[in-house]
Amino acid sequence: MLALQNLSKVYRTEDVETTALNSINVDVRQGEFIAMMGPSGCGKSTLLNIIGMLDTPSSGSYQFKGEDIAGHSEAQLADLRKRNIGFIFQSFNLIDELTVFENIELALLYHDIPAAERRTRVNAVMEKVGIAHRAGHLPGQLSGGQQQRVAVARAVVADPSLILADEPTGNLDSQHGAEVMAMLRELNKEGATIVMVTHSPTDAGYAGRIINLLDGHVVDVGHASASAAA
C-alpha cells in the first residue's frame, strides 16, 4: 500500500537544524497492522504525520498506492487524504457542541454523499463500535472510553483504506484501552490497514509487525508477540 524510501525530514530555523527522520525505509502492505514504537522525540509522530499527508518529507520518496506523492501540492495531498485515510488521535478531537451522531457524520460531509446514505452509514458504524445508545449525547456527557469509540467510528465511517492511530489508548484506563485495541484488531481482521504509534508494549502486541525508531532511524522491525493478538 505504501513505501517510504530514503525518506528524511529536517526542520530548520535561522540558527538550528534538526533532523527528525533520517533515511527511513518502510513498507506497509494492504491489510497489515503496524505498530511504531520508540522513546519520545525519536520521530515516530513525525513519520505518522508524513504517512498521513499532514506533513511533507524534506527528501526521499513516498509511494502511496503506487504513486509517488512526495512532490504533491497541499491541495493534492488533501484530496488523497480525504479519500483514503482515517485518523484516530489520543485526545479524541471531538467537537464539544456536536452530538455523537454529528461528530461521526462530519467525516462524511467532505464527500459527495446524500443525507440519507450518511444517516445509514453513521447508524451502522455506531452499532459496530457499541455507541449507538449515545447518538444524541454530547462528548462532555461521555466517558473517555466512549469518546474514543466515537473517534474510531468517525475514522472508519468513510471506509478509508488506511487508518492511522496516534497513541489511541493514551488517555484511557487499562480496561477502556483494551476495548479500543480489540476494536482496532477487529477492523484489521475485516481488512483495514492500520498504522499505530504507541508507547505501550501491550498495545503493540495487537499488531502484526512492530517498527522501532531511535533518533530518527528505523533500528528494528519485528513481529509482535502472539499474546495480545490471539
Side-chain angles (χ1 to χ4, degrees):
M1 169 175 277
L2 62 90
L4 312 176
Q5 297 180 331
N6 297 318
L7 187 141
S8 296
K9 179 65 179 182
V10 179
Y11 295 99
R12 295 182 176 90
T13 66
E14 289 186 4
D15 303 314
V16 178
E17 180 176 288
T18 303
T19 300
L21 298 172
N22 193 349
S23 298
I24 297 289
N25 291 283
V26 168
D27 293 331
V28 177
R29 297 180 293 275
Q30 177 71 42
E32 276 201 290
F33 190 162
I34 303 291
M36 295 195 299
M37 300 190 73
S40 297
C42 71
K44 56 188 183 297
S45 290
T46 299
L47 182 55
L48 195 75
N49 285 339
I50 289 175
I51 291 173
M53 306 176 200
L54 298 171
D55 200 353
T56 55
S58 301
S59 61
S61 170
Y62 177 9
Q63 299 270 341
F64 185 80
K65 294 186 172 181
E67 178 183 3
D68 191 346
I69 66 168
H72 276 25
S73 68
E74 180 53 43
Q76 290 173 308
L77 292 175
D79 183 62
L80 272 174
R81 188 167 60 238
K82 176 182 70 176
R83 290 187 286 109
N84 291 281
I85 302 175
F87 294 89
I88 303 170
F89 301 97
Q90 176 180 347
S91 56
F92 315 138
N93 285 10
L94 303 178
I95 297 176
D96 292 339
E97 294 78 15
L98 299 182
T99 65
V100 165
F101 184 99
E102 291 165 341
N103 265 283
I104 299 169
E105 185 187 29
L106 193 62
L108 298 176
L109 296 180
Y110 302 104
H111 302 265
D112 188 18
I113 298 174
E117 183 181 345
R118 291 201 305 270
R119 285 194 298 272
T120 298
R121 292 174 72 162
V122 172
N123 286 330
V125 78
M126 286 193 301
E127 290 287 349
K128 187 173 190 175
V129 303
I131 202 69
H133 63 298
R134 297 288 191 177
H137 288 68
L138 298 173
Q141 298 172 306
L142 306 178
S143 69
Q146 289 170 333
Q147 289 188 56
Q148 193 61 299
R149 285 174 180 269
V150 178
V152 171
R154 182 187 56 193
V156 304
V157 69
D159 196 25
S161 53
L162 176 64
I163 297 172
L164 302 181
D166 191 358
E167 297 283 1
T169 68
N171 284 333
L172 303 177
D173 60 35
S174 58
Q175 177 183 340
H176 289 118
E179 291 173 358
V180 167
M181 290 310 304
M183 279 193 293
L184 292 180
R185 180 176 59 192
E186 288 304 310
L187 290 168
N188 177 243
K189 287 181 178 179
E190 293 169 5
T193 304
I194 300 175
V195 178
M196 172 183 68
V197 162
T198 183
H199 282 100
S200 167
T202 300
D203 289 358
Y206 285 83
R209 197 154 54 103
I210 298 174
I211 297 173
N212 287 288
L213 285 88
L214 182 66
D215 297 335
H217 295 272
V218 173
V219 294
D220 181 60
V221 178
H223 292 285
S225 64
S227 56

